[in-house]
Amino acid sequence: MLRISPKSFVAFCSGQRSPQSINIYKYTISRYIHTPAPKLATAMSSPKPVLIAGAGPTGLMAALWLSRLKTPFRIVDKHAFAANTSRATVVHARTLEYYRMLGLSDRAVSEGRVIEYLTFLSNRKQVVNRHFSEIGGDISNFPFVLVYPQDLNEQLMIGELESSGVKVEREIEVTDLTQRDDGVAVSLKNKDGHMEEFEASYVLGCDGGHSTVRTHTSIKSSPGTYSQRFFVADVEAEVSIGLRNVNICFNAEDFCLLFAMPNGRIRLVGWAPDEVTTENFTFADVEESVKRNSGANITKVHWFSTYKVHHGVAETFRDGRVFICGDAAHVHSPVGGQGMNTGLGDATNLAWKIAAVLADKAAPDILDTYQEERRPFAERLVNTTDKSFTIATDKGLMGKAWRTIVIGNIAPLLFQFGFLDTIMFQTVSQVRIDYIQSAMSDKNYAGTLYAGERLPWVKFEDGTDNFQPLTALNWQIHVYGTLDVEVKEWASQNNIALQNFPFNENMKSKRIPENSMILVRPDGYIGQLFQGPTKDSLHKLQSFVDKWGIKSF
């Protein structure tokens, strides 16, 4: 029989209870009222691994997050080798912020080429020249466009995974999926035709626009294709325009995009003449157009290709335990260099949530917020780039008017008076993406700052900033102003890291209320925020944590 000392009984009744004593007393009482005793805590059995299908940038980003959060996984790819061509070329500020969280931003910036200016040239006359640091220098630590091609992105992430003992399993493809209550039975085939049956907890389809994973789900996707054919080329050339710029060169008839690559070559993008076909289309067919728009004298062509642009968004990003990310979920025009960056954002959003659920550090319902948060953005992106792309590439009167009147005359005035600067940088850099409508945000706000927004970036006089703690990849409390002892106790009781920043005018300009406390998500977005540590706000914060089953990693 379990004996309880008088001293322990007095302590229990007076409220001085430890978790162990509570379990003991519940067990004792249960013997008399015939309710089952609570099970003593036991070590959790290891969850089934996550399967990532596709080792492009999206799949590799998901793998890095799962690896850092110690979540078991496999990453497979049907191709024998990683990308060896540049493909997508641009990395924006929000992606570099994610890379910084993973400790990769310094290397990416050193290996890439920093583009500092946005330049429009109409008939080779400069009409817009905006310095990115003047536009975004107070918004992000990365106020520029980084030319860092897809192959270098993949090499960066593969090297980081391999340093942690993780290797991509190549020439392995998914041939079938069968979902069950506790996982997914996946059929895998290697290059020799050998079949393997693998049990996964969840499957991430990061395998591109022609996703095999997606075909084995109920997810529907019917992307369209623009009729216009485009060209892309890597060349050597003599140029008179700036190579620290993204140069958008145009006239009434056509356009080309020109910027420098990290390897010293120049990237050209433009559209193909209507009269040529894929079979006989060569760089010679567009060389005169490129020279007319940019003044570039091409001395050597290293690579030349043509393509048609697809566009569309899958009806859903989830089917049970199967999720799709990146091009498997959405494809769109290359306007603004958004494609690869959007896939990397998808992976970041989803991976930490899966890791938390498998570690019993978040309720499974949190996985529903992946689609809630990422699909609306993908849909807006496709719609806006569709409109811009359709008008800008139109060869009729509408397109000519847009290029000559709007881009050539009206846009320069808007930039000159500052009407386009901030919104242009925030939109293209993806720092403006928010999850305010997510169920997890719960319409919570303080002042004009809302849960679901990216945590505003604040730089301090000593050169540090409030993004440095985000490398923990974990939930954390930020207090901007005076730290109340009750907040400190709450953070300690919930095992959530606490950061206290003295309030300054920069915070005020970023809409952060004085003495506010912000619960920051692992991906750097605001989970909840309150102005002032009142009992009501701490109660609401505790309710949020309890509702979503949030625990620190």
Side-chain angles (χ1 to χ4, degrees):
M1 181 177 177
L2 185 65
R3 297 184 181 276
I4 305 171
S5 70
K7 182 178 179 181
S8 298
F9 181 77
V10 170
F12 178 81
C13 294
S14 64
Q16 301 173 31
R17 312 176 181 102
S18 68
Q20 294 85 354
S21 68
I22 291 172
N23 274 342
I24 290 172
Y25 286 105
K26 283 183 178 178
Y27 172 79
T28 306
I29 294 169
S30 72
R31 296 192 62 187
Y32 294 97
I33 61 175
H34 308 291
T35 57
K39 295 181 180 179
L40 296 177
T42 56
M44 285 183 60
S45 59
S46 297
K48 296 175 183 177
V50 176
L51 179 70
I52 303 172
T58 301
L60 292 169
M61 178 65 101
L64 276 173
W65 273 82
L66 294 180
S67 176
R68 294 292 175 84
L69 297 175
K70 303 187 185 308
T71 304
F73 70 93
R74 288 177 68 180
I75 178 168
V76 302
D77 194 284
K78 65 181 180 181
H79 298 104
F81 304 101
N84 58 7
T85 55
S86 53
R87 302 185 190 180
T89 54
V90 170
V91 171
H92 288 301
R94 188 57 178 147
T95 296
L96 287 170
E97 290 173 355
Y98 292 143
Y99 275 173
R100 182 187 179 190
M101 292 164 68
L102 294 164
L104 302 178
S105 59
D106 287 347
R107 180 179 161 189
V109 172
S110 67
E111 293 180 353
R113 185 176 184 113
V114 172
I115 299 294
E116 300 180 56
Y117 295 87
L118 171 68
T119 304
F120 291 177
L121 296 107
S122 176
N123 293 305
R124 293 168 60 176
K125 178 184 177 182
Q126 180 176 291
V127 294
V128 171
N129 188 47
R130 300 298 293 127
H131 199 299
F132 284 117
S133 67
E134 294 177 3
I135 303 171
D138 194 43
I139 298 172
S140 173
N141 196 37
F142 305 99
F144 49 80
V145 170
L146 183 70
V147 180
Y148 193 56
Q150 180 174 333
D151 53 343
L152 296 184
N153 277 274
E154 292 188 18
Q155 291 171 25
L156 172 72
M157 290 188 276
I158 289 170
E160 190 68 14
L161 286 169
E162 288 181 345
S163 69
S164 302
V166 177
K167 285 201 172 187
V168 176
E169 301 177 52
R170 296 203 171 272
E171 296 182 277
I172 295 178
E173 60 180 318
V174 174
T175 62
D176 197 16
L177 299 171
T178 302
Q179 296 205 48
R180 299 169 180 163
D181 290 342
D182 63 344
V184 186
V186 186
S187 298
L188 300 171
K189 183 173 72 173
N190 70 10
K191 63 178 180 178
D192 299 320
H194 176 73
M195 299 298 299
E196 175 192 356
E197 296 301 317
F198 177 70
E199 289 286 333
S201 57
Y202 297 97
V203 174
L204 275 57
C206 306
D207 49 346
H210 301 287
S211 171
T212 302
V213 168
R214 192 181 63 224
T215 63
H216 292 290
T217 69
S218 63
I219 299 173
K220 295 179 181 179
S221 181
S222 303
T225 304
Y226 295 108
S227 59
Q228 180 65 56
R229 183 173 293 279
F230 287 78
F231 74 85
V232 58
D234 285 350
V235 304
E236 292 179 27
E238 297 172 356
V239 297
S240 58
I241 57 179
L243 292 181
R244 294 164 65 194
N245 312 345
V246 173
N247 296 289
I248 301 173
C249 313
F250 60 92
N251 57 39
E253 302 301 324
D254 54 18
F255 87 102
C256 74
L257 189 68
L258 184 153
F259 55 88
M261 301 283 282
N263 58 10
R265 297 173 185 173
I266 292 173
R267 167 60 58 88
L268 297 169
V269 180
W271 65 48
D274 291 334
E275 63 271 14
V276 301
T277 62
T278 306
E279 290 75 18
N280 62 12
F281 186 24
T282 67
F283 184 76
D285 292 301
V286 297
E287 187 169 8
E288 183 58 35
S289 170
V290 168
K291 189 170 185 177
R292 182 171 61 249
N293 275 306
S294 67
N297 180 31
I298 310 303
T299 57
K300 188 173 183 178
V301 179
H302 287 275
W303 175 63
F304 177 76
S305 183
T306 66
Y307 62 96
K308 283 197 171 185
V309 175
H310 305 286
H311 56 102
V313 181
E315 291 183 2
T316 178
F317 287 5
R318 179 185 188 184
D319 178 11
R321 288 178 170 266
V322 180
F323 299 83
I324 55 173
C325 311
D327 287 353
H330 44 80
V331 289
H332 34 81
S333 83
V335 171
Q338 300 293 296
M340 179 171 65
N341 292 271
T342 303
L344 294 171
D346 291 345
T348 299
N349 183 286
L350 177 60
W352 72 263
K353 295 172 182 176
I354 285 181
V357 169
L358 290 178
D360 196 29
K361 297 184 183 299
D365 288 351
I366 204 170
L367 298 179
D368 292 333
T369 65
Y370 165 62
Q371 172 170 292
E372 286 181 4
E373 295 176 352
R374 295 302 296 180
R375 192 178 182 280
F377 165 67
E379 204 163 36
R380 287 195 305 273
L381 179 61
V382 168
N383 289 337
T384 54
T385 56
D386 267 2
K387 291 174 183 176
S388 303
F389 189 80
T390 300
I391 297 173
T393 60
D394 178 47
K395 293 191 176 182
L397 290 176
M398 177 67 75
K400 291 179 181 180
W402 179 264
R403 288 187 292 277
T404 56
I405 299 173
V406 178
I407 302 180
N409 294 285
I410 298 176
L413 289 174
L414 294 175
F415 274 110
Q416 181 180 340
F417 291 105
F419 295 131
L420 287 182
D421 280 359
T422 300
I423 191 170
M424 185 275 295
F425 178 82
Q426 290 183 335
T427 300
V428 173
S429 68
Q430 298 199 352
V431 301
R432 201 180 186 194
I433 295 173
D434 69 67
Y435 308 139
I436 292 174
Q437 299 304 319
S438 170
M440 203 184 332
S441 301
D442 197 30
K443 296 182 173 57
N444 167 247
Y445 66 95
T448 59
L449 189 62
Y450 282 75
E453 290 190 66
R454 161 186 168 270
L455 178 71
W457 177 68
V458 179
K459 188 175 181 179
F460 305 119
E461 291 183 359
D462 61 0
T464 62
D465 60 35
N466 65 331
F467 273 32
Q468 288 185 347
L470 303 185
T471 57
L473 308 184
N474 211 342
W475 291 92
Q476 50 195 266
I477 287 282
H478 286 196
V479 173
Y480 293 87
T482 304
L483 175 60
D484 189 274
V485 65
E486 290 184 341
V487 177
K488 189 174 182 179
E489 290 175 355
W490 186 92
S492 177
Q493 290 168 1
N494 285 274
N495 193 32
I496 293 178
L498 176 65
Q499 307 291 335
N500 183 207
F501 304 105
F503 195 78
N504 60 32
E505 287 300 311
N506 194 11
M507 295 172 188
K508 186 177 181 180
S509 70
K510 301 295 178 63
R511 299 177 293 125
I512 299 176
E514 187 171 3
N515 297 328
S516 60
M517 58 175 182
I518 300 177
L519 178 64
V520 185
R521 300 175 6 165
D523 57 359
Y525 283 85
I526 297 173
Q528 293 282 279
L529 74 160
F530 302 93
Q531 186 170 9
T534 65
K535 287 186 178 181
D536 181 58
S537 62
L538 286 173
H539 174 73
K540 289 179 179 178
L541 192 56
Q542 186 65 55
S543 295
F544 174 84
V545 168
D546 293 342
K547 175 182 177 180
W548 294 100
I550 291 169
K551 301 173 187 173
S552 184
F553 282 103

